[in-house]
Amino acid sequence: MPPSVRVVPSPITAPALPTEALIAVLAGALLHASWNTALKAGGGNASDAVLVVAGSAFIALLLLPVVPAPSLASAPYLCVTAVLHVAYFRLLAAAYREGAMSHAYPLMRGTPPLIVALCSGALLGEGLSSGAWTGTVMVCGGILGLTLLGRRSGPSGSWRGTACALANALVIAAYTVVDGIGVRLSGAPAGYTLWCFLLLSVPMVGGALLRDARGFLSHARRRWMVALCGGAASIASYGLALWAMTLAPVAVVAALRETSILFAMALAALVLKERVGPVRLASGAVIVLGAASLRLAA
């Protein structure tokens, strides 16, 4: 994580997306796609997701003593985002249980940046330029276009799956805004990020231990590399996004972060040997154009 940080607790008035913020968010998006692809390649065991949270908490405990501590002003936001992230994981599981992933995932990832953009004026005092709006709509439109692919390629699931996915989109938008404000108040994006993961691990890992401590610990011994590597990638991915929010409008970072779906598509084709058809390629092209618009927006 970059060592020097310009803390901006007030609305961003700089250009929409400085180069360093662009590089940070894209690097974070690649990391996010990479550890998710690794989980999928390993069979997508639900316990692996909890292991990643546990690994991130372990790394946070090691690093917190040597990074600047976030200010007390950000403490309420850390508590709120921990609750919201628990809700995120619960709704994620429900959405996948009730509906197809190809339908639920684009809804959950393509809708939040639009919600953040619509609310950023009132909640963050950040009005977006026409170029930033164009880029946000294009990125989200390209992602949501994958929902249509899911409908054409198979059943999307019940209305409950759609409801859970849309509810989770609201949760993702909420924690994005909360963390955007919190990290600017913290004065220490690295410390804020580490505390996010440490607080999240308490209910997530604690719940897994209460349900089946022996089974979870046995799984952890077999898959400890998943915990450490996934935890490190997860911290770096979200930490880079939070750092970028101290340099650029939250809505712009939120939209650009969803380019992770492009990296996920490429990794799925190269690593998992999944077929990438013309609809996915067209959606990807729209997302790339949207990202370019975000970079060029003033």
Side-chain angles (χ1 to χ4, degrees):
M1 233 166 285
S4 60
V5 175
R6 182 184 64 181
V7 177
V8 187
S10 56
I12 297 294
T13 56
L17 195 65
T19 301
E20 60 267 37
L22 171 69
I23 295 171
V25 178
L26 290 178
L30 174 58
L31 284 169
H32 186 269
S34 298
W35 75 261
N36 276 272
T37 302
L39 287 184
K40 177 69 174 176
N45 191 315
S47 295
D48 281 350
V50 183
L51 281 184
V52 169
V53 174
S56 66
F58 176 75
I59 294 169
L61 284 172
L62 294 178
L63 295 181
L64 277 172
V66 297
V67 301
S71 71
L72 287 176
S74 64
Y77 296 91
L78 282 167
C79 294
V80 171
T81 196
V83 173
L84 289 171
H85 274 83
V86 172
Y88 160 78
F89 278 105
R90 291 186 178 276
L91 285 169
L92 182 71
Y96 289 163
R97 183 175 62 250
E98 298 289 345
M101 181 176 177
S102 60
H103 174 73
Y105 186 83
L107 281 179
M108 288 187 288
R109 304 313 310 186
T111 310
L114 288 176
I115 299 172
V116 174
L118 289 170
C119 298
S120 61
L123 298 179
L124 300 167
E126 295 178 347
L128 298 183
S129 67
S130 58
W133 266 111
T134 299
T136 299
V137 170
M138 290 181 73
V139 169
C140 296
I143 297 170
L144 290 171
L146 297 174
T147 303
L148 300 177
L149 173 66
R151 285 184 174 275
R152 292 179 60 182
S153 61
S156 60
S158 68
W159 64 269
R160 295 186 193 87
T162 299
C164 288
L166 291 175
N168 214 16
L170 290 173
V171 170
I172 293 169
Y175 74 61
T176 299
V177 172
V178 167
D179 284 337
I181 299 172
V183 74
R184 293 176 184 177
L185 291 172
S186 72
Y192 184 92
T193 302
L194 295 174
W195 272 107
C196 278
F197 283 93
L198 186 59
L199 291 174
L200 169 63
S201 71
V202 175
M204 292 291 295
V205 179
L209 291 172
L210 286 174
R211 286 190 297 272
D212 182 12
R214 181 178 297 180
F216 179 74
L217 292 174
S218 175
H219 186 70
R221 282 193 294 270
R222 294 193 306 270
R223 303 276 285 170
W224 62 271
M225 280 296 292
V226 170
L228 290 181
C229 294
S234 185
I235 286 176
S237 172
Y238 199 49
L240 287 168
L242 291 182
W243 177 74
M245 289 179 189
T246 68
L247 301 176
V250 172
V252 171
V253 174
L256 190 63
R257 188 169 185 254
E258 300 309 337
T259 57
S260 62
I261 200 165
L262 289 176
F263 296 114
M265 287 166 54
L267 289 170
L270 295 173
V271 178
L272 305 179
K273 306 303 180 183
E274 294 182 0
R275 180 178 177 273
V276 179
V279 176
R280 283 194 173 94
L281 289 175
S283 295
V286 173
I287 295 169
V288 170
L289 290 173
S293 296
L294 288 171
R295 176 64 185 92
L296 297 173

